[in-house]
Amino acid sequence: MSENKCNACLYRQLAKRYVMQTITIVAFLTAAAFAVRHFAGVEGMVVPIVIASSFALVIDTADALIWRKVANDWADSLPTFFTAVSGFRMLLGIMTIAVYYFAATNPDMTIFFLTFFAYYIALILHHAIFFARVSATTGDNSKSRINT
């Protein structure tokens, strides 16, 4: 019982760290996108930045919260969970792009797609690196601190 409580605390800390790293990555990407907008004179980037950053924050926060529950209660299902998250993220990304295309009054898809793609790739890389480190460290039932 005590081991499960300790694991629950570890998973809560890891989920919190994952969300904080996501916020940092999104803030950096948003600052970079606004710098491109300002210095390169690219117009029409505000809405794509808002949509892409909101997508990133919502998806990764949900990912962390669901991962915490799966890791704590059904650790054997984590490979399936990671596969499902990747597929779900891709479908939501495609749906977001499609909704923007149909809802935008002047759908300049190049700016939107490049902006969204930058956030999307950052999410995939963050997810892969973070959880590869977590899986490698917790896979051997180590109780040490995980430095991701």
Side-chain angles (χ1 to χ4, degrees):
M1 184 77 130
S2 176
E3 185 177 332
N4 284 342
K5 188 173 185 178
C6 181
N7 284 342
C9 292
L10 175 66
Y11 296 142
R12 187 176 315 118
Q13 289 172 348
L14 289 171
K16 192 180 297 184
R17 183 177 298 151
Y18 183 75
V19 171
M20 292 306 295
Q21 288 177 357
T22 297
I23 291 169
T24 303
I25 291 167
V26 169
F28 174 77
L29 285 172
T30 302
F34 275 112
V36 166
R37 177 182 176 265
H38 177 72
F39 293 116
V42 179
E43 295 298 322
M45 282 187 70
V46 174
V47 172
I49 291 169
V50 170
I51 291 172
S53 61
S54 299
F55 177 86
L57 291 172
V58 169
I59 294 298
D60 264 12
T61 301
D63 184 7
L65 295 175
I66 296 169
W67 171 82
R68 184 178 74 184
K69 180 70 173 162
V70 170
N72 195 39
D73 295 343
W74 306 287
D76 293 341
S77 299
L78 282 174
T80 304
F81 168 75
F82 292 136
T83 303
V85 164
S86 296
F88 190 65
R89 180 186 300 118
M90 183 181 65
L91 288 174
L92 285 176
I94 291 169
M95 288 174 40
T96 303
I97 291 169
V99 167
Y100 178 82
Y101 178 76
F102 290 118
T105 56
N106 183 14
D108 183 5
M109 292 305 292
T110 305
I111 292 171
F112 178 78
F113 185 74
L114 291 175
T115 305
F116 190 83
F117 188 69
Y119 283 86
Y120 187 82
I121 293 299
L123 287 181
I124 290 173
L125 290 174
H126 178 235
H127 177 90
I129 292 167
F130 185 90
F131 288 114
R133 288 183 180 173
V134 167
S135 295
T137 306
T138 59
D140 62 0
N141 293 325
S142 171
K143 297 265 198 283
S144 65
R145 290 263 181 212
I146 299 172
N147 296 320
T148 54

